[in-house]
């Protein structure tokens, strides 16, 4: 399938702002334009972007119900009540539980935490979890990364004399649970300045407000920002505004002085002595934390993140690393089975969405499988299995298709659903599966245009190799951390040629040493994964165009190109 390259064009106004910013900050025009394209047009905005400050975090009391949440927590601590920290079993939930538990244990010994079992209890607040709290004398539950739709369960808890403080970041319904406090910046009545916090981020804001109310030093809370960085990266929330500040300082903590638990994961990932980035969390650290909840129980991930000894951290890290290996094998098996089902679909080319179901599939990996199907077929995908008597599953989307809204359009057929624009979960009775599939596919058919069903690469700028100087690299690095809504810039260089030393690696990858028509004799190095098919024309010294991101070689600090696509000049559309 041919990949479409979309080169971003600039308006005269953007060019004017670029030139002014480049002059004021001594930046290359390319870097200045990247800032303008991200809405950063003044020297003050650029300095705040390049050097995020914890002083710019928003007042947590701007969030609805924050004063109520803090008052109830202070009361519970003053009366030495038993408090249960309750969170989802994924990375966001387990990091949130770990952050709040770690901080509150400085002020209470009557704490416990609870992670629901993915298979026995499912997502979110469970009756089993509430019963556990009641049996152990808990009078206050702080829920993290879940609870925004748990109306009936919160009422059940009230009947048992248990109060709830809900900390969530998912989309709320019109009716909120009758909890003591519901902290969610996505509430319709919220005037909080930033609505894209992760679940762990909401937990952090709660603890920030608690610290402010008691005049506790911020330094104790600052040490826990490593957990917000892991949650922000793994939950794929925008790395803008407040999230950028939290991620920036969290990454500093991870790289300078990680907790024993995170150090254990860093070691098993092979990331020791490396400058860890958001990408490392997304592809290496996050999946291992997630594997605990996918294959066994997320509680083990919390035990790791709370580890107080090197021995415990090592043991737990090795354990969840093994879960991750098992997850990979299962993921491949189920993906192959899903592809086999899709291959049997009649008129697949006419379908704008994929829905596949197998009651025997492992619930813990169907979200990953949905992602793989979306990446392969460029269609929103819903992957379903059976659990606790219901058909349950995960959905993933393509660019500019709101899968949460699409699933919400089927809510009368569902038992439960929740999520975000690009990822959601749902459950339904098996007798409603056919009707759900037909309606969901009809919604996709009406809303998805052909361009959304083909791979596309958004290119920020055309670049000549001579412009990739050491200063350019330093300024580009200041734009990190990269992630959603602040993506790593993608550049295009046209008419490059092999220096004579490029080679094929493992039959499918290319190790490139290339020059362009404007460069000096020194070649730039790059890697093009899965593009071995271009080896022959490249070795024939035929010119080609590339789009790529720029990485820093950890050994010498030089630029290294991570090539995203190659187009031989003879096939380029003009």
């Amino acid at each position: 399938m041919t990949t479409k390259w979309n080169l971003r064009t600039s308006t005269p106004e953007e060019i004017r702002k670029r030139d002014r910013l480049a002059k004021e900050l001594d930046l290359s025009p390319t870097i200045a334009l990247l800032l303008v394209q991200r809405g950063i047009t003044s020297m003050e905005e650029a300095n705040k972007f390049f050097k995020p400050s914890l002083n710019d975090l928003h007042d947590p009391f701007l969030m609805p119900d924050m004063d109520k949440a803090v008052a109830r927590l202070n009361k519970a601590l003053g009366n030495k009540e038993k408090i249960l920290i309750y969170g989802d079993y994924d990375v966001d939930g387990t990091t949130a539980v770990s952050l709040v538990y770690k901080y509150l244990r400085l002020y209470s010994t009557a704490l416990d935490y609870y992670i629901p079992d993915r298979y026995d209890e499912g997502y979110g607040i469970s009756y089993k979890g509430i019963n556990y709290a009641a049996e152990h004398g808990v009078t206050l539950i702080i829920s993290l990364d879940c609870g925004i739709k748990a109306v009936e369960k919160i009422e059940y808890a009230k009947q048992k004399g248990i109060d709830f403080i809900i900390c969530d970041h998912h989309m709320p319904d019109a009716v909120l649970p009758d909890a003591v406090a519901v902290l969610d910046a996505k509430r319709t009545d919220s005037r909080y300045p930033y609505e894209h916090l992760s679940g762990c981020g909401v937990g952090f804001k709660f603890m920030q407000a608690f610290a402010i109310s008691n005049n506790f030093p911020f330094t104790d809370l600052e040490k826990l920002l490593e957990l917000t960085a892991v949650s922000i990266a793994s939950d794929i929330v925008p790395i803008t505004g407040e999230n950028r500040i939290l991620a920036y300082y969290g990454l500093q903590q991870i790289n300078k002085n990680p907790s024993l638990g995170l150090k254990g994961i860093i070691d098993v990932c092979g990331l020791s002595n490396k400058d860890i980035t958001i990408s490392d969390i997304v592809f290496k650290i996050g999946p291992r934390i997630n594997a605990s909840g996918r294959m066994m129980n997320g509680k083990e991930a919390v035990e790791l993140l709370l580890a107080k000894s090197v021995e415990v951290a090592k043991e737990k890290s090795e354990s969840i690393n093994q879960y991750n290996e098992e997850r990979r094998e299962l993921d491949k098996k189920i993906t192959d089975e899903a592809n086999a089902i899709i291959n049997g679909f009649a008129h697949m080319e006419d379908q704008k969405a994929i829905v596949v179901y197998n009651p025997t599939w492992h619930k813990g990996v169907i979200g990953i499988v949905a992602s793989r199907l979306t990446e392969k077929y460029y269609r929103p995908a819903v992957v379903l299995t059976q659990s606790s008597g219901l058909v349950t599953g995960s959905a993933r989307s393509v660019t500019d298709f709101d899968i949460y809204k699409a699933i919400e359009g089927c809510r009368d057929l569902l038992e439960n659903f929740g999520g975000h624009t690009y990822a959601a979960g749902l459950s339904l009775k098996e007798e409603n599966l056919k009707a759900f599939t037909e309606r969901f596919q009809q919604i996709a058919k009406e809303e998805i245009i052909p361009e959304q069903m083909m791979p596309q690469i958004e290119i920020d700028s055309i670049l000549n190799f001579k412009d990739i100087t050491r200063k350019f690299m330093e300024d580009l690095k200041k734009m990190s951390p990269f992630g959603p809504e602040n993506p790593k810039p993608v550049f295009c260089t046209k008419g490059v040629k092999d220096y004579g030393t490029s080679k094929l690696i493992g039959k499918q990858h290319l190790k490139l040493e290339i020059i362009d028509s404007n460069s000096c004799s020194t070649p730039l190095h790059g890697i093009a994964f899965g593009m071995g098919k271009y080896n022959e024309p490249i070795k024939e010294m035929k010119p080609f165009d590339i789009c790529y991101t720029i990485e820093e070689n950890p050994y010498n600090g030089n630029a290294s190109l991570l090539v995203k696509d190659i187009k031989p000049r003879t096939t380029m559309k003009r």
Side-chain angles (χ1 to χ4, degrees), residues 251-262:
L251 281 172
Q252 282 192 357
Q253 182 73 20
I254 290 171
N255 282 299
K256 292 179 181 177
N257 187 28
S259 63
L260 292 175
L262 274 181

Side-chain angles (χ1 to χ4, degrees), residues 88-153:
D88 190 23
Y89 39 67
D90 68 0
V91 180
D92 195 13
T94 53
T95 53
V97 167
S98 300
L99 185 148
V100 173
Y101 186 88
K102 267 190 171 184
Y103 189 65
L104 288 185
R105 72 182 177 190
L106 297 172
Y107 308 104
S108 173
T109 57
L111 290 179
D112 194 4
Y113 60 87
Y114 190 93
I115 305 293
D117 185 274
R118 182 188 289 262
Y119 308 99
D120 183 36
E121 299 167 78
Y123 166 79
I125 310 298
S126 71
Y127 290 112
K128 183 177 177 180
I130 294 169
N131 289 337
Y132 172 90
E135 291 164 7
H136 289 79
V138 169
T139 52
L140 175 63
I141 296 177
I142 300 172
S143 73
L144 296 148
D145 191 34
C146 59
I148 195 65
K149 295 187 176 186
V151 175
E152 294 177 358
K153 289 162 187 171

Side-chain angles (χ1 to χ4, degrees), residues 423-440:
L426 66 155
S427 61
L428 64 157
K429 293 176 180 176
E430 192 161 10
E431 57 261 35
N432 291 331
L433 178 57
K434 184 174 184 292
F436 166 78
T437 301
E438 290 173 352
R439 191 188 301 178
F440 180 79

Side-chain angles (χ1 to χ4, degrees), residues 198-213:
S198 64
C200 184
V202 178
F204 173 84
K205 297 303 295 187
F206 181 22
M207 293 301 96
Q208 182 190 11
F210 166 70
I212 291 170
S213 76

Side-chain angles (χ1 to χ4, degrees), residues 37 57 97 220 295 430 434 449 477 493 508 521:
Q37 289 170 344
L57 291 175
V97 167
D220 290 334
M295 305 305 295
E430 192 161 10
K434 184 174 184 292
I449 60 176
K477 191 173 183 178
T493 301
Q508 53 183 326
S521 58

Side-chain angles (χ1 to χ4, degrees), residues 91 95 99 198 200-201 224-237 239 243-254 262 277-278 281-282 285 481:
V91 180
T95 53
L99 185 148
S198 64
C200 184
L224 303 178
L225 285 174
E226 61 176 19
L227 295 168
T228 66
V230 172
S231 79
I232 287 166
S234 301
D235 220 52
I236 320 296
V237 292
I239 303 187
N243 278 345
R244 179 174 173 81
I245 299 171
L246 297 173
Y248 180 89
Y249 284 94
L251 281 172
Q252 282 192 357
Q253 182 73 20
I254 290 171
L262 274 181
T277 65
I278 291 291
I281 297 173
V282 171
I285 294 174

